[in-house]
Amino acid sequence: MVSYSEDLRAAALSFHRNPRPGKLEIQATKPLANQRDLALAYSPGVAAACEEIVADPAEAATLTGRANLVAVVSNGTAVLGLGNIGPLAAKPVMEGKAVLFKKFAGIDVFDIEIAADTIERVVETVAALEPTFGGINLEDIKGPECFEIEEQLKARMKIPVFHDDQHGTAIIVAAAITNGLLLNGKALADIKIVASGAGAAAIACLNLLVSMGAQRKNIWVCDIDGLVYEGRNTLMDKWKAAYAQKTDKRKLAEVIAGADVFLGVSAGGVLKPEMVAQMADKPLVMALANPTPEIMPDEARKVRPDAMICTGRSDFPNQVNNVLCFPFIFRGALDVGATAINEDMKHAAVDAIARLARDPPSDAAVAGFDGGEAQGFGPGSLIPSPFDPRLILRIAPAVAKAAMASGVATRPITNFDEYHGRLERFAFRSGLVMKPVFAKAKTQPVRVIYAEGEDTRVLRATQQVLEEQLARPILVGRPSVVETRIKRLGLAIRAGKDFDLINPEDDPRYRSYVQSYIDVAGRHGATPDVARTTIRTNATVIAALAVVRDEADAMLCGVEGSYMRHLRHVREIIGFTSGTSDFAALSLMITSKGAYFIADTQVRPNPSAEELADIAAQAAVHVQRFNIKPKIAFVSHSDFGSYDTESARKMRRAAELFTESHPKIEADGEMQGDTALSESARQLILPHSRLTGVANVLILPNLDAANAAYQMIKVLGSGLQVGPILIGPARPAHILTPSVTARGILNMTAVAVVEAQERASRQQPTLFG
C-alpha cells in the first residue's frame, strides 16, 4: 500500500470528488450555437470531412483531433505501489496522466482502462484503437508482460506506442547519469552500474544506457531473488537474462564495491550505508523507490559526502519524475506525425533534458519549490524541475528533428522557427503578444535600473534580459548580497561585467544623489537630514534619481512593498509628462481568448469623464507598441442609455470626449462588459456602434471596478498579467506588484525599453485609426 497521512488522504478524496467527480471533461472546439453550426458539425456537413478522409487518410490530421489525441491505456496490473488493483481502480491514475499531458504539452487524452489480463487480449484491444488515436501511452502494466505487449503493438501499429513506466523513467535516469558523469569526469563506457530491481523500468533504463555506450559486462542486476547470474532459473525472463553475469556472487552486498552508479528501482531500505561506503569515487546513487527510497539521502551522505543522489520523491533534490519527458516526447512525435518513438528520439530527449539542466533555472521552475529557490547545475541539480516551461521548448523540437532524421516522420516540420514560436506561446502564453515589443526593444538596448536588485526574481530576470539582449541592467543592491544570491541561484552574470550596481551603503555618488533629491523633493518634505537617510535606505528613490540624472533610461520598482508608496516617490521625483495631471495604471491580461488591456487598475479612485478620455488616449499609445490596433470600450452597468445614472452618464461623456479628440480610433460607450466583448451582442443593442469586433481596451468607471475585473480575469480566466504599465510619467517608470514573476519583470523590461527608445528619438507615436 502507498504510505500517506490521513490529512492527505482526505484532501485527495475531496479533490477528486469536488466540485464534480473526476479530473477530466470534454469540451467542444467549435461553436454549436444554431442550426447551421449543427449542420456543419454533424449531418449533413460532416459527410464532406468523411469523404476527404476516404480519398486521403492523411487528411484525418487536418479534419479531426486525431493528430493531437493520445490514449493512456492500462489494465491495472501494476498501479503505483498498489499492485494489481484492476482497471476500474486504476482510472484515477489514468485520468491524472491525462491532465498532465494537457497541462504540460496541450495534448488531448482519453484514458482507457481495459479488462484484459492476457498479452493477447491487451494487444488485440489496443491495436484495434489505431484509427482513433495519434499515439498510445501504455501505463501501469506489469512486467514482464509489458515488454511483450509493447513489442507486439509497435510491430502492428503505425503510430507511436510508448510504455512510459519503462522509457519515461529510462530517459530521465539517462539524463541524470549523463550529467553526473560530466561532473565526476567519468565515461559511460567505463563505469560500473549496479541495479536493484529488474522490472520494466530497470530493464528499460539499462537497455537505454547500453544503447548510449554503457557495456553489458559492467552491469550487475539484482532482484528479489538476488543477483541475476548465468544459470539462474528462478524468476527469469529473456529481458532479464541479457544482464546475467558469469560469477559466483549472489547478493547486492557482494557486487556493490566499486560501483560508479547504483540504480534502485526496487524497494525501500535495500541499499545499506555500508554498501554506499564501498562505492567508487563520487558515486551516483539513484534511489528511486517510492515512497521510501532504497536509501534515504541523509544516510547516504553521512558515509559518502561526495555522492550525488537522485530519488523519486518531490521533497528531495534531483527528483526523477516522468512528467519531465513523456508529454514533450509525444508533443514532438505527434507534431511530425511520427509512426513510432524510436531509439534516436529517446536519445534526443535524453540530450535535451541533460542540456537544460545545465542552464540557469527559470523563474517558473523556481515557483515549484517551497522555498522559492532552485540550485544551479551541480550535484544537487542534475535534472531540470518538472515546472520548467522550457522543457517543451527543448524536448519537443529535439524529438521532432530526430523523428525526421530517422525517417519515421510523415508530416515533417519545414520551419522550426515557427514551430518553436508556437511552442513558446504555449509555454509562456505571453510569447505572441510580447513578440513585437521584444523585437523593437532588441534594436536599441537602453539602460534599465531595477530598484530591488537583491530580489531573486530580479536577478533571474537580469540574466534573461541579458540573454535576450534587451537592455543594460543597473541593479540597486548590496554587492555581497547580490553576489551570494547569484551564486546560490546558479546564474552566469557578474556585477561590473554584465550589469552595473549601485550600492546604497557605499557609492561615490552619494553626496550628489542627496543633493539631487533635495533639488527635486525639497518642497515635498525632503530636508537634508531626510535626504541623507533616504538615499541610504530607499531603493525606489535611488532608481528614480538615476533616471532624472540621465544615468538610466527607465526604471522598474514595486517588486517589494506597497504600490502607492512607490508611486509617491515616482510622482515627486520623475513627475508627469506634459499635459498629464495624474498617473494611471494599464494592466494587460493575456487569456486563452485573447489579450485585453484594462484601466485604471491601480491609481485613480474615481476619475472624471475628462480624465477617463485622457487615460484611454494614453492607453491607446501603449497598445500600439504591441502592434495591436486599439478597440476601446467605455464599460458601465448601462448599455447605450439603458440606465440614466451618474456613473452611466460619466462613461457616456468620456466616450464622446474621446471620439471627438480621436475620431479615427474605434471606441464607443457606455456599454456593458458582454457588449464590449461580443460583437453579436452589440449588434442586437446598437447596430451602428462605432466599435467593431471585440474590444481590447476596457476603460472602467473607477478603481474598484477596474481592479476587481482584472483580478477576476486573472484567476477565473487563468489570465497572465503584464504590467501594471504606468501611464503618465515624464520618463519611463513602472511600478510592479509583489506577485510579479521573473518572466513578468522581463516583459515589463521590454515595455520600458521601447518607451525609452521613443523618448530618446523624440518620436512619440501618434494614434492611428
Side-chain angles (χ1 to χ4, degrees), residues 163-188:
H163 186 205
D164 182 50
D165 298 323
Q166 292 184 53
H167 309 300
T169 302
I171 287 165
I172 307 304
V173 164
I177 290 176
T178 297
N179 281 340
L181 297 181
L182 184 66
L183 289 173
N184 63 25
K186 300 177 183 180
L188 185 59

Side-chain angles (χ1 to χ4, degrees), residues 409-544:
T410 62
R411 297 189 305 275
I413 294 169
T414 57
N415 188 326
F416 270 91
D417 287 338
E418 288 184 3
Y419 180 58
H420 188 275
R422 193 163 75 244
L423 294 176
E424 185 176 55
R425 290 193 290 275
F426 174 82
F428 294 113
R429 289 185 295 171
S430 59
L432 179 62
V433 176
M434 293 302 302
K435 187 175 181 180
V437 181
F438 272 71
K440 178 69 166 62
K442 290 179 181 181
T443 63
Q444 184 188 341
V446 301
R447 301 162 300 172
V448 177
I449 187 167
Y450 303 85
E452 295 91 356
E454 297 176 0
D455 190 280
T456 56
R457 291 164 292 175
V458 172
L459 293 172
R460 288 191 292 272
T462 298
Q463 167 113 17
Q464 296 170 15
V465 166
L466 291 165
E467 290 174 353
E468 294 279 357
Q469 300 180 337
L470 294 179
R472 171 70 180 185
I474 305 169
L475 274 56
V476 181
R478 295 163 292 177
S480 60
V481 175
V482 170
E483 183 179 352
T484 298
R485 291 181 179 174
I486 286 174
K487 184 176 181 181
R488 189 173 67 217
L489 295 169
L491 302 176
I493 53 176
R494 287 187 297 168
K497 178 179 180 294
D498 301 304
F499 63 89
D500 299 318
L501 190 63
I502 295 179
N503 179 8
E505 293 181 341
D506 183 20
D507 191 284
R509 295 165 291 184
Y510 170 71
R511 293 183 182 276
S512 64
Y513 265 64
V514 169
Q515 187 57 52
S516 295
Y517 188 42
I518 293 171
D519 291 343
V520 298
R523 295 184 183 276
H524 298 279
T527 65
D529 285 343
V530 168
R532 283 189 287 270
T533 300
T534 301
I535 297 303
R536 290 288 192 210
T537 59
N538 194 309
T540 299
V541 169
I542 295 171

Side-chain angles (χ1 to χ4, degrees), residues 571 574-578 580-583 728-730:
R571 179 182 281 119
I574 291 182
F576 305 115
T577 190
S578 177
T580 300
S581 60
D582 199 358
F583 298 122

